[in-house]
Amino acid sequence: GNLVEVAVAAGDIVGMDRLATLNGSSLPVDAGHGDVKIGGAKVLATDITASNGVIHVIDTVLVP
């Protein structure tokens, strides 16, 4: 999947152009127009703490 190696908080994502994934690729980050999109998927909920990292809910499935 499109997992990243380290936990990235929503506030940090907004300042990024791209987000590196564990499979060696990267996803574009678009933080304009009041929405945040990662790889074209709109971020719906942010910073959900899990035992193994941080979850950000998106509106679509990203396929590597």
Side-chain angles (χ1 to χ4, degrees):
N2 290 302
L3 300 175
V4 297
E5 185 173 3
V6 296
V8 180
D12 296 331
I13 291 172
V14 171
M16 298 176 154
D17 292 343
R18 300 193 71 73
L19 186 62
T21 65
L22 286 176
N23 68 2
S25 63
S26 66
L27 299 168
V29 175
D30 179 6
H33 304 85
D35 294 329
V36 175
K37 292 186 177 182
I38 299 174
K42 184 178 177 182
V43 178
L44 302 175
T46 61
D47 297 336
I48 301 167
T49 304
S51 62
N52 61 345
V54 177
I55 299 169
H56 304 294
V57 180
I58 57 176
D59 69 348
T60 191
V61 174
L62 297 174
V63 179

